[in-house]
Amino acid sequence: MNENENNFESLRQLLALKKHEVPPPGYFNRFSHRVINEIESGERLTDSERFFVTVPWLFRLLSSMQARPALVGTAATGIFVLMAIGLIVADRPDSSPEVAASAMAPVDPANSLSISQTFASSDLMTASASSNSAETASTGLAISTNLSLQPVASMFGHPNSLVQPASFNGN
Amino acid sequence: MEMIMAEPATNTSTSPEAGNVTDEFTLVSRARRGEMDAYDELVRRYQERIYATMYHMTSNHEDANDLAQESFIKAFQALKSFKGDSSFYTWLYRIAVNKAINFIKQRRNRVSMSLNDLDTNAEHDPDLVALISHKTPHRAATLAELQEKLNAAILKLSEQHRAVVVLHDVQGVPHEEIADIMGCNVGTVRSRLFYARQQLQGLLAEYLDKK
């Protein structure tokens, strides 16, 4: 071990330089005062601060996010892009299920199967569903969701003619 | 509510305040009862050493300031869990070193130096005089260059190796106490110290050859 110590003698001399690195003059004069102030203000925590104290994992998560701004930025951009694509696709007038399904429909009517036909005798069949099934029977495969899942009114300015406002006044 | 605290550790010979164990025990007991003037006295007693440890591990004054303050605050909050198995000084050091190690892990890829100035005694330190040629005309510049290279080399060490070399070679903490602070055995401390010195010697070979 002594031999090892001797091998590092010049390194030890160089490390002595670290002992001469000192903080700005007067730095320690108010250090303890700052610590005591922090402790006393910590005892007067706000509700949100108290929440972080009681849920330390959330604080650690937020801290780790603060430590990786690039990663968080990339994730946020990705989410934004996905939302933008979703909005654009949903807003397109040709993105309704019927149109999309008819675009996928095979051209041979002999081999076609209409899901709507399997419900032909159902009591739940509505008039509009019947007319749809009649149309699709001649064109091929089509998926109709009119039986139980009515399309909701669009959020983006296209009124849905299939949905009628409910009335409870008995008229 | 009256706090019950274990007797202070009897093996406190390595603590700088070995003769003030009773005094320290009294201060800790009072601080646990919420007497802030007692804790203020404890902070004053150890602030320079805790700050120095944080500074030498981060090579950044602002980070060291934050870490030192946070260490004292955390120690106060955890005072109820202090059993007295070791001295308050060792216990406080353990909190501070763990805090610094976690900080370094989080900031591994974002290291920035903010070095303190050298005091006026640096130029007359016999160890440093031996390293620098008397004929060098820009002696202060050479010391500043050495300071920067030395800190850059220390920042390249892993957090565990950095802690050991800072505690032992810069602050003069004995192996046994470092083992207690870092929660490992003395053999591990010696082995980490040897490896850290080897790494530093390799990184600073150019400057060490000037002797």
Side-chain angles (χ1 to χ4, degrees):
Chain A
M1 199 64 186
N2 284 339
E3 191 181 341
N4 289 336
E5 294 286 342
N6 290 335
N7 288 342
F8 296 119
E9 179 58 20
S10 56
L11 177 65
R12 187 195 63 75
Q13 288 178 330
L14 183 55
L15 283 167
L17 186 64
K18 293 288 288 172
K19 295 172 191 167
H20 296 286
E21 293 180 18
V22 290
Y27 169 73
F28 289 116
N29 292 351
R30 289 187 56 78
F31 182 87
S32 66
H33 187 68
R34 288 196 297 271
V35 170
I36 300 299
N37 274 351
E38 284 287 323
I39 291 170
E40 287 176 342
S41 64
E43 287 172 356
R44 299 188 295 269
L45 290 175
T46 63
D47 287 346
S48 61
E49 289 167 335
R50 210 178 297 279
F51 174 73
F52 279 122
V53 170
T54 53
V55 192
W57 63 266
L58 183 59
F59 182 73
R60 281 196 296 274
L61 176 68
L62 292 175
S63 299
S64 65
M65 286 169 75
Q66 280 179 340
R68 297 175 183 83
L71 185 67
V72 175
T74 308
T77 308
I79 291 169
F80 176 77
V81 168
L82 283 174
M83 286 180 67
I85 291 171
L87 286 174
I88 292 166
V89 169
D91 210 18
R92 282 173 58 183
D94 60 344
S95 63
S96 63
E98 289 82 1
V99 176
S102 62
M104 293 166 57
V107 290
D108 183 8
N111 296 327
S112 69
L113 172 65
S114 171
I115 293 175
S116 297
Q117 285 177 328
T118 57
F119 298 101
S121 59
S122 171
D123 293 338
L124 296 172
M125 179 82 85
T126 62
S128 65
S130 298
S131 63
N132 267 358
S133 65
E135 285 176 17
T136 53
S138 60
T139 56
L141 178 65
I143 300 168
S144 171
T145 55
N146 286 345
L147 295 176
S148 57
L149 295 173
Q150 291 287 351
V152 295
S154 169
M155 293 166 58
F156 309 108
H158 300 288
N160 191 334
S161 60
L162 297 175
V163 178
Q164 298 297 321
S167 174
F168 301 99
N169 58 8
N171 293 332
Chain B
M1 189 175 78
E2 184 66 25
M3 300 295 169
I4 300 168
M5 199 168 92
E7 287 298 311
T10 50
N11 182 20
T12 52
S13 56
T14 53
S15 166
E17 272 74 34
N20 292 333
V21 172
T22 310
D23 182 31
E24 183 175 279
F25 175 68
T26 307
L27 286 173
V28 172
S29 301
R30 286 177 54 207
R32 291 177 71 162
R33 289 196 296 268
E35 293 183 34
M36 298 311 286
D37 57 331
Y39 195 66
D40 183 75
E41 175 58 30
L42 287 168
V43 174
R44 285 176 193 277
R45 198 172 275 194
Y46 300 117
Q47 61 186 9
E48 292 183 30
R49 269 166 287 173
I50 294 297
Y51 166 83
T53 307
M54 301 297 101
Y55 171 75
H56 294 312
M57 286 185 72
T58 59
S59 295
N60 188 302
H61 168 69
E62 289 76 25
D63 292 341
N65 175 53
D66 292 345
L67 287 168
Q69 281 195 35
E70 286 169 17
S71 300
F72 280 110
I73 292 167
K74 187 172 181 183
F76 180 80
Q77 290 165 343
L79 216 48
K80 288 174 186 171
S81 67
F82 175 57
K83 302 280 192 300
D85 299 332
S86 59
S87 68
F88 175 75
Y89 165 75
T90 304
W91 181 76
L92 177 63
Y93 240 119
R94 197 177 299 150
I95 290 172
V97 169
N98 282 335
K99 199 166 253 305
I101 286 174
N102 289 335
F103 176 83
I104 294 165
K105 280 181 185 170
Q106 283 182 350
R107 295 266 185 112
R108 195 165 283 161
N109 299 320
R110 293 188 297 128
V111 175
S112 64
M113 287 199 288
S114 170
L115 300 179
N116 287 333
D117 293 333
L118 294 170
D119 63 20
T120 50
N121 297 327
E123 290 186 25
H124 308 294
D125 188 313
D127 285 330
L128 297 173
V129 169
L131 274 177
I132 301 166
S133 164
H134 288 277
K135 292 174 184 174
T136 305
H138 305 293
R139 198 176 165 125
T142 308
L143 275 180
E145 183 190 343
L146 270 179
Q147 183 194 9
E148 195 175 329
K149 297 293 178 187
L150 176 59
N151 278 284
I154 289 173
L155 289 180
K156 287 182 181 167
L157 300 177
S158 75
E159 53 275 359
Q160 302 286 349
H161 291 103
R162 204 184 304 178
V164 171
V165 86
V166 162
L167 289 171
H168 187 270
D169 286 352
V170 180
Q171 299 209 280
V173 179
H175 293 118
E176 294 75 14
E177 194 161 345
I178 296 174
D180 198 5
I181 289 167
M182 299 190 70
C184 59
N185 60 47
V186 178
T188 306
V189 171
R190 288 183 195 277
S191 134
R192 282 178 183 167
L193 189 58
F194 181 77
Y195 183 79
R197 285 169 170 173
Q198 265 193 327
Q199 266 200 299
L200 283 178
Q201 204 160 40
L203 291 165
L204 297 163
E206 182 188 349
Y207 298 91
L208 297 173
D209 288 341
K210 281 182 179 175
K211 185 181 177 183

